[in-house]
Amino acid sequence: MTSCGALRSSFFSLLNSHDTSTWLSSSTTTLPSKRQKKFSGSIVAVQQESKPGEKSDIVLNNTNGRITKNLNFSGEKPSTPILDTINYPIHMKNLSLEELEILTDELREELVYTVSKTGGHLSSSLGVAELTVALHHVFNSPEDKIIWDVGHQAYPHKILTGRRSKMGTIRQTFGLAGFPKREESAHDAFGAGHSSTSISAGLGMAVGRDLLGKSNHVISVIGDGAMTAGQAYEALNNAGFLDSNLIVVLNDNKQVSLPTATVDGPAPPVGALSKALSRLQTSSQFRQLRDSTNEITKQSGSPAHELAVKVDSSVSGMAGSPGSCLFEELGIYYIGPVDGHSLVDLVYIFKKIKEMPAAGPVMIHIITEKGKGYPPAEAAADKMHGVVKFDPKTGKQMKSKPETLSYTEYFAKSLVAEAEQDDKIVAIHAAMGGGTGLNIFQKRFPNRTFDVGIAEQHAVTFAAGLATEGLKPFCAIYSSFLQRGYDQVVHDVDLQKLPVRFMMDRAGLVGADGPTHCGAFDTTYMACLPNMVVMAPSDEVELMHMIATAAAIDDRPSCLRYPRGNGIGAPLPPNNKGTPLEVGKGRIIKEGSRVAILGFGTIVQNCLGASDILQEQHGLSITVADARFCKPLDGDLIRKLAQEHEVLITIEEGSIGGFSSHVSHFLCLNGLLDGNLKWRAMVLPDRYIDHGAQSDQIDEAGLSPRHIAATVLSLIGEGKDSLQLLNL
Amino acid sequence: MSCRNYGVAQKLPRTENGLRLYTRPDNPPRFVSFRVRPGPVIQSSLNETVSLISEQHPINFYELLGIPETGSLLEMKQAYKKLARKYHPDVSPPGRVEEYTQAFIRVQEAYETLSDPRSREMYDRNIAKGLHLAFRRSEFDEFSTFVTVSLTRLHVYWQEIEEKNEWESQWQSQLSELKRRSMYKDSNDNMSWAARIRRERNES
């Protein structure tokens, strides 16, 4: 078809011309030959697709404009000839650039294959495949220290540093940790899990190296989300001052929150920093756009053209020079933006910097895409950040459908129900909309949800500020992340007695994430504060009532801890709206004799399990009580239990110094320990429990139903039977 | 020959390069496509184009959808659904099918560009930098919308290539500057902690 031919040729010339095209800028930068080749490849492909006699459509889609190679995501073990030769980074030194590119592809295939079988963090690792390969090729881990911020993108790093064979055990009991861990390998320079620590640690290693007279390199990899935390700037401030040789790689993929999406779809990242970082990328685009505008307006007529020129000249003043930005002012030399998926560029830049003897602190700003190379991840709203087992061909996750929802979801629904009746309720979270369930709240009340970025300290004081104005802030931060904002809790909230409500999700043992995310200490650090009300629900219904209670407590701060897991299936109140409980009153769930177990939190379910075991196998009937409040304690309940039983066991899924300690103080101050009472406390042991399945961790901690039953038996004098129970 | 009878397509003008730009009216379109059609091209005054939308002479997607420039994704979705239902060829009044289809296509393009945060950002920048102002309303209404859509789409695509060339020249120059700086970094007037340590090391 001549017409189609005309289209083809004219379009082809359009696309490939550098001089007179209307669309392309008239910049005379020559394309690196590699890119040009790829480019004509796509045009050829399009041409071949259209059969003669048909209309030739050139379809340009937003997402499919780029060229993707055909990687094997079929679910079978991918063939990885080059990756098979690499056991340690030193084996990568002699590879050529082409082989490194093939290695990156194989690495992606291997990642998708492994994570599809075990679950874990997928897309962040896919985004840094090229970066990892480039770093290990140029630098010599473990002499050169590579520090990964947060660490969930370190899967390729683990594969390349001798742990490929164990990747099938990642995040499981006795397997590899899901984050870098110093005990695991010499190549993991620093343990991570909480964000924004890599530059600080890197600076420490750099200064140590300088003092000791060594000459290795230190590279910290940090993401744009982690850059929203203050600690990163504290580190940069110090690095700029000390001027020690340090390489910081800023991995910018425009993903600040987890996920950077609402319930309805992708959302732009929160915070002004993201906009600032994008301006660094686009300051040169203006020139290109200006040129193309000029071309077009020349065609359309002179008045329009004049107008465009006027607009252009007024705006050109606004585009500042790239590079002279925040980082430069701090004394960090800024290089970028760099295409984070171009191995050529990355290797070149790293090699150049490696040669310089005194570069000082350097920041390389690379632009990547989360989930790059695996289309289902690129397309998903949450980019498949954290996944369970999935089908590699389609990306569909095999999520089991439990009968009850998670505590997080119950929390979100209950908070929505409260907020519908009280318009002073606002919710704050620190870049964890998905994890805390506040994305659900945001869908219903978009103006009353605040995502502050990864800034727990700011979130707490921000909530305190809101409380002074009479609002009712609910601060939903994971138990272990709230540690970062502890001084703000003490000084800004508790000391001033401001009614901020802390909703501490992931309290207790958390399973596959391991000790970095474990919420063992929250009762300890919250209950020692003079003005804080501390509660913990034993099931999802209690959770809803406690949220209502927290909403009602308006004269002092309060907090509420609940674990990772699903509800037990208790009947919910209508519309998910709880009723406020009486503060400082617990309840007795089951009456018995001789032995009383007083539990705090969802561990009460394990106590009920233990009482069933004892009933069925030993005919013992024991009392199980739910304390509900750690502060203020239900003194009457404790007195009653102490006076009517021989044995009192207090139990919580927290460290020493928490609920059990408070009960012990109460008992001794009230003279209840002066009689015949045997009191024992069951708490988490004084060590960090490794990652694994939650049930395994509870067993390891000694808080499972059979451990509780064994403790009871050992106390009422039947030692042999308790050992038998332990072996069940 | 099948490249005929594009009643709607007749109204669109041609560009300098001889490309005739049309959209596909037959089926509800899902994407922008460039198509060639032989035969004469009828220049229209463009005042005959879809009266409903052209009455308001919208000059940008936001006006087309009827939402403010700061509109959220939800508002956009609602506006799009409402307009799509109104202008879908299947429910259009007979005799005005072509106009309605045109309108539908434009609503579709507007939604697709604005719903993806990235292309929306590009589009916003296009507006801010006066790309729209380059076209005189009365004569280039259709063309401007069309070209802006194509430009935006192409920009997002071409961005990949062009941007990276810009970036490369930029970081090349940054690297050479750094190299130059690192040569005199440890000179005696640099009093930072690390420079002092490095000097001591070099001396010993």
Side-chain angles (χ1 to χ4, degrees), chain A residues 225-299:
Chain A
M227 282 303 280
T228 62
Q231 188 173 358
Y233 294 94
E234 294 170 12
L236 287 177
N237 178 35
N238 200 198
F241 176 72
L242 290 176
D243 205 26
S244 184
N245 290 344
L246 173 67
I247 302 174
V248 177
V249 177
L250 172 58
N251 177 17
D252 185 355
N253 57 9
K254 295 214 172 327
Q255 300 286 309
V256 168
S257 307
L258 284 180
T260 309
T262 59
V263 175
D264 295 319
V270 293
L273 281 171
S274 300
K275 284 202 205 117
L277 287 177
S278 348
R279 269 200 289 277
L280 288 175
Q281 292 179 48
T282 61
S283 52
S284 54
Q285 275 181 347
F286 172 69
R287 178 151 51 104
Q288 170 191 337
L289 183 61
R290 185 207 310 161
D291 293 335
S292 60
T293 315
N294 284 342
E295 293 294 331
I296 293 161
T297 57
K298 272 193 208 137
Q299 294 174 24

Side-chain angles (χ1 to χ4, degrees), chain B residues 132-171:
Chain B
H132 279 277
L133 300 177
F135 298 96
R136 266 173 286 165
R137 260 192 200 199
S138 57
E139 301 216 341
F140 287 95
D141 191 36
E142 283 287 318
F143 188 54
S144 74
T145 321
F146 204 78
V147 171
T148 314
V149 165
S150 340
L151 261 187
T152 312
R153 297 276 180 79
L154 282 175
H155 261 291
V156 173
Y157 174 56
W158 289 78
Q159 200 175 317
E160 303 285 311
I161 312 292
E162 279 302 301
E163 202 171 61
K164 279 151 198 180
N165 292 334
E166 288 286 338
W167 290 353
E168 184 169 340
S169 57
Q170 197 172 301
W171 56 252

Side-chain angles (χ1 to χ4, degrees), chain B residues 51-203:
Chain B
S51 51
L52 298 135
I53 292 191
S54 65
E55 263 159 25
Q56 301 134 16
H57 280 289
I59 59 164
N60 67 29
F61 285 158
Y62 294 101
E63 284 189 32
L64 192 74
L65 289 177
I67 53 171
E69 291 206 4
T70 51
S72 70
L73 187 63
L74 194 61
E75 287 173 19
M76 208 181 305
K77 257 190 192 165
Q78 289 168 345
Y80 165 63
K81 282 186 184 145
K82 199 177 77 182
L83 287 173
R85 254 179 250 130
K86 189 173 173 200
Y87 294 124
H88 197 281
D90 295 340
V91 301
S92 55
R96 301 186 80 187
V97 178
E98 296 161 4
E99 299 173 36
Y100 270 69
T101 316
Q102 265 283 354
F104 180 82
I105 293 164
R106 287 169 54 177
V107 164
Q108 175 100 30
E109 287 160 6
Y111 176 66
E112 279 188 23
T113 314
L114 294 182
S115 61
D116 175 12
R118 224 175 145 202
S119 59
R120 182 182 180 175
E121 214 184 297
M122 272 257 46
Y123 184 79
D124 288 346
R125 267 183 266 132
N126 286 351
I127 300 181
K129 283 161 187 172
L131 183 55
H132 279 277
L133 300 177
F135 298 96
R136 266 173 286 165
R137 260 192 200 199
S138 57
E139 301 216 341
F140 287 95
D141 191 36
E142 283 287 318
F143 188 54
S144 74
T145 321
F146 204 78
V147 171
T148 314
V149 165
S150 340
L151 261 187
T152 312
R153 297 276 180 79
L154 282 175
H155 261 291
V156 173
Y157 174 56
W158 289 78
Q159 200 175 317
E160 303 285 311
I161 312 292
E162 279 302 301
E163 202 171 61
K164 279 151 198 180
N165 292 334
E166 288 286 338
W167 290 353
E168 184 169 340
S169 57
Q170 197 172 301
W171 56 252
Q172 287 280 17
S173 60
Q174 284 163 337
L175 268 179
S176 16
E177 169 70 20
L178 178 62
K179 188 155 184 188
R180 202 180 53 80
R181 275 200 210 182
S182 74
M183 294 300 169
Y184 62 82
K185 190 76 138 158
D186 286 342
S187 65
N188 284 336
D189 37 330
N190 186 356
M191 290 310 294
S192 72
W193 177 89
R196 289 202 301 271
I197 301 277
R198 286 193 287 261
R199 276 200 293 275
E200 278 172 35
R201 184 105 332 101
N202 290 337
E203 279 155 28

Side-chain angles (χ1 to χ4, degrees), chain A residues 155-171:
Chain A
Y155 289 28
H157 168 78
K158 294 199 176 204
I159 292 179
L160 290 175
T161 52
R163 286 166 278 182
R164 182 182 176 195
S165 50
K166 294 186 238 159
M167 285 300 286
T169 65
I170 199 162
R171 291 167 65 88

Side-chain angles (χ1 to χ4, degrees), chain A residues 171-174 510-514 689-697:
Chain A
R171 291 167 65 88
Q172 293 157 32
T173 324
F174 303 128
V510 294
D513 282 330
I689 304 219
D690 281 332
H691 57 278
Q694 248 174 312
S695 48
D696 290 343
Q697 287 183 324

Side-chain angles (χ1 to χ4, degrees), chain A residues 510-717:
Chain A
V510 294
D513 282 330
T516 54
H517 288 62
C518 170
F521 310 115
D522 53 272
T523 318
T524 309
Y525 66 65
M526 284 303 211
C528 60
L529 300 176
N531 291 323
M532 181 73 68
V533 172
V534 182
M535 342 178 221
S538 50
D539 58 41
E540 62 271 32
V541 180
E542 289 281 302
L543 174 65
M544 295 190 175
H545 293 317
M546 286 186 183
I547 292 174
T549 317
I553 298 177
D554 231 2
D555 60 339
R556 60 186 60 221
S558 50
C559 70
L560 177 41
R561 72 174 323 229
Y562 48 98
R564 181 183 198 187
N566 291 61
I568 58 163
L572 300 170
N575 287 336
N576 299 325
K577 173 95 176 62
T579 43
L581 305 166
E582 192 185 342
V583 176
K585 282 268 164 288
R587 62 174 178 149
I588 297 186
I589 302 183
K590 180 175 166 297
E591 285 274 10
S593 65
R594 286 188 76 191
V595 178
I597 307 185
L598 182 60
F600 180 64
T602 49
I603 200 83
V604 166
Q605 306 302 329
N606 286 21
C607 303
L608 289 170
S611 87
D612 289 339
I613 297 177
L614 290 167
Q615 180 77 58
E616 285 156 28
Q617 299 189 5
H618 297 266
L620 285 168
S621 159
I622 59 173
T623 308
V624 178
D626 171 16
R628 283 181 176 163
F629 289 84
C630 173
K631 199 172 176 125
L633 280 175
D634 186 351
D636 296 332
L637 174 65
I638 297 175
R639 229 182 289 262
K640 179 169 184 286
L641 293 176
Q643 282 157 357
E644 293 176 8
H645 297 83
E646 290 171 31
V647 175
L648 175 64
I649 300 179
T650 53
I651 179 166
E652 63 177 318
E653 200 179 327
S655 72
I656 195 169
F659 173 68
S660 302
S661 301
H662 284 263
V663 172
S664 74
H665 276 272
F666 179 84
L667 290 173
C668 69
L669 285 174
N670 285 278
L672 297 165
L673 287 176
D674 301 345
N676 282 328
L677 180 69
K678 286 189 187 150
W679 169 73
R680 297 293 180 270
M682 293 182 77
V683 297
L684 287 176
D686 191 20
R687 62 175 191 279
Y688 292 101
I689 304 219
D690 281 332
H691 57 278
Q694 248 174 312
S695 48
D696 290 343
Q697 287 183 324
I698 292 270
D699 274 352
E700 166 92 14
L703 295 174
S704 65
R706 57 192 175 88
H707 285 98
I708 302 172
T711 313
V712 170
L713 278 184
S714 70
L715 284 171
I716 51 179

